[in-house]
Amino acid sequence: MARTPESLIVGRVIEDVLENFSPSVSMIVSYGNRQVCNGSEFFPSAVATAPRVLIQGGDMRTFYTLVMTDPDVPGPSDPYLREHLHWIVTDIPGTTDATFGQEVVSYERPRPNIGIHRFVLVLFQQRGRQTLNNLPTSRNYFNTRRFAADNNLDLPVAAVFFNAQRETAARRR
């Protein structure tokens, strides 16, 4: 098994959002033709629609849940709404992409207002077809760890994050 990418630790994804884990599946996230690498920066306009999420590992009998959150809401210096939920997809068959899963919470485009925000995509392996317990009633105050525990999901099998900040007219040129 691979060890946790150091960039998840340095970027405080391990601690603020997740426990330490060993990735066991390859997850490739891309917006258009640009792949997300830990800590890469994207303009909010480039992430307006849901990314393509490819899962490499497992088989068609193995199912995954994908969660996307922003742990820096409303701003990184005082993230009192931590975490803000952006997307949940369940029942994604292994060796496919998220479009084959069940979108439980629709994709909400990132719109950071203050500072540089981290947007974290986490993949959990399911124990079978997923029936979610305690669906989130609000996108604010979401907790990835609690969601995983409430839905019998073990430690993540993959995670990646990117950064984004408010896009001014000057930055769009």
Side-chain angles (χ1 to χ4, degrees), residues 10-60:
V10 171
R12 293 185 353 267
V13 170
I14 303 296
E15 183 182 332
D16 290 350
V17 180
L18 303 171
E19 300 298 325
N20 203 355
F21 71 99
S22 295
S24 58
V25 170
S26 174
M27 176 174 68
I28 300 168
V29 178
S30 55
Y31 285 94
N33 61 359
R34 186 164 172 219
Q35 184 174 333
V36 174
C37 297
N38 284 328
S40 56
E41 185 171 343
F42 283 79
F43 289 123
S45 59
V47 295
T49 59
R52 181 159 192 216
V53 180
L54 296 172
I55 299 168
Q56 298 174 330
D59 54 44
M60 294 297 284

Side-chain angles (χ1 to χ4, degrees), residues 17-18 27 63-67 92 122-126 144-145 147-149 153-158:
V17 180
L18 303 171
M27 176 174 68
F63 295 95
Y64 298 92
T65 294
L66 176 71
V67 174
I92 306 167
V122 184
L123 190 68
F124 296 96
Q125 184 173 329
Q126 299 172 193
T144 300
R145 289 180 181 103
F147 172 81
L153 300 169
D154 294 321
L155 288 175
V157 295

Side-chain angles (χ1 to χ4, degrees), residues 118-173:
R118 296 166 293 165
F119 294 89
V120 181
L121 291 104
V122 184
L123 190 68
F124 296 96
Q125 184 173 329
Q126 299 172 193
R127 295 182 180 163
R129 289 284 188 171
Q130 192 69 14
T131 302
L132 293 180
N133 300 313
N134 304 323
L135 276 175
T137 56
S138 169
R139 289 183 185 260
N140 288 327
Y141 304 109
F142 182 79
N143 184 295
T144 300
R145 289 180 181 103
R146 187 173 48 244
F147 172 81
D150 288 350
N151 290 286
N152 298 315
L153 300 169
D154 294 321
L155 288 175
V157 295
V160 67
F161 79 101
F162 65 91
N163 296 318
Q165 60 185 310
R166 186 175 181 163
E167 193 170 352
T168 64
R171 290 182 71 203
R172 283 188 218 128
R173 290 185 195 158

